[in-house]
Amino acid sequence: MPTQTFFNLPGTKRQRLIDAGFTVFSHASLADASVSEIVRLAKISRGSFYQYFSDKTDLYFYLLGQLREAWAADTIGTLRRHEGDLFATVRELAEAAFTDLSQGPYREFYRMLFLSFSYRGSVQVDDEWTAHYRAQHRIRTNWSQMVDTKRLNVNSDDQLHTLVHMLFGVFAQNVARYFNEAADATDTAVADRYRQNMLTMIDWLQHGVEKETQEES
């Protein structure tokens, strides 16, 4: 996580480094990103960079943590507004997040994130991201306490967390397919197709796929 020296920087200098990180990681994967390019855009020396972050990975996960904190706050607020209704919450959050990722200011950053990793790499990123995020004592969603499990066919916290992972897996899968196919942010037809596919898959998880049939009398 960033050093206290980073947080002691004047706001404009700190923001310039954050902006430089987002710019570089929007055009290169974590593996390919260059510290030299980050410090050039931030207008600081390489030595100064290492006074603020241990390496580029440290900066990368700090930036992800900034975004994730906003998501966590939205999740908590939406869960409360829907009185613990998991599926209503996920639908609203997934639609809003899909729009943000496909049309928002960090679109290219997210695009590089989703397209840069294999399955094994994405698991590693998620583990490292979670470790960095928790080390920074950021906001976290307590699903077990906030979800109304009486609405769900789950029997334990582990089952609830598995369901949550399945739902957000549906979101991630459709976002990745969108980024793989869409040329740029103007390709709204592709975004609309995968957004609708995402909502259909969420409906399948909630209501099932197999049609009910009447037994012959």
Side-chain angles (χ1 to χ4, degrees):
M1 60 185 297
T3 65
Q4 188 58 47
T5 304
F6 170 75
F7 293 110
N8 291 339
L9 288 172
T12 53
K13 188 172 183 179
R14 189 168 62 247
Q15 188 60 48
R16 194 165 65 236
L17 178 51
I18 290 171
D19 292 343
F22 274 121
T23 298
V24 170
F25 292 125
S26 294
H27 294 89
S29 67
L30 174 58
D32 295 333
S34 165
V35 172
S36 296
E37 183 64 9
I38 293 171
V39 300
R40 184 187 71 80
L41 292 175
K43 299 178 181 178
I44 61 174
S45 69
R46 193 179 185 92
S48 293
F49 176 84
Y50 289 108
Q51 290 181 352
Y52 311 139
F53 295 93
S54 59
D55 52 26
K56 64 180 180 180
T57 301
D58 198 18
L59 170 60
Y60 185 74
F61 286 110
Y62 172 72
L63 299 178
L64 280 175
Q66 295 286 99
L67 299 175
R68 186 170 183 172
E69 185 166 285
W71 294 351
D74 286 345
T75 299
I76 292 169
T78 307
L79 266 170
R80 286 174 176 162
R81 186 155 38 78
H82 286 293
E83 298 180 337
D85 186 329
L86 177 63
F87 279 93
T89 296
V90 168
R91 280 192 189 87
E92 181 175 327
L93 290 172
E95 282 205 85
F98 201 104
T99 299
D100 183 43
L101 268 63
S102 61
Q103 302 291 326
Y106 299 108
R107 179 188 186 276
E108 294 306 310
F109 179 83
Y110 287 122
R111 178 179 180 275
M112 191 58 61
L113 171 66
F114 276 90
L115 297 184
S116 294
F117 297 101
S118 62
Y119 172 75
R120 180 179 297 177
S122 65
V123 171
Q124 179 182 0
V125 165
D126 187 61
D127 289 345
E128 291 187 19
W129 181 3
T130 300
H132 278 71
Y133 190 82
R134 289 177 178 174
Q136 295 171 34
H137 305 291
R138 301 293 188 102
I139 297 172
R140 295 171 58 191
T141 306
N142 192 325
W143 297 100
S144 300
Q145 291 185 4
M146 299 195 68
V147 171
D148 181 3
T149 55
K150 294 190 297 293
R151 301 171 183 260
L152 305 171
N153 186 22
V154 297
N155 300 315
S156 66
D157 287 349
D158 283 345
Q159 289 186 358
L160 173 61
H161 292 151
T162 297
L163 176 58
V164 169
H165 280 285
M166 289 171 67
L167 286 164
F168 283 98
V170 166
F171 168 76
Q173 176 188 353
N174 282 281
V175 170
R177 292 172 69 186
Y178 157 73
F179 278 132
N180 192 56
E181 188 172 332
D184 53 42
T186 64
D187 204 341
T188 56
V190 175
D192 289 342
R193 184 165 75 252
Y194 284 113
R195 182 187 294 106
Q196 186 55 53
N197 190 64
M198 172 187 70
L199 294 174
T200 298
M201 294 173 72
I202 292 172
D203 283 345
W204 286 346
L205 280 174
Q206 182 175 14
H207 302 296
V209 179
E210 187 175 31
K211 292 182 177 179
E212 294 183 3
T213 58
Q214 292 182 345
E215 294 183 1
E216 294 184 3
S217 58

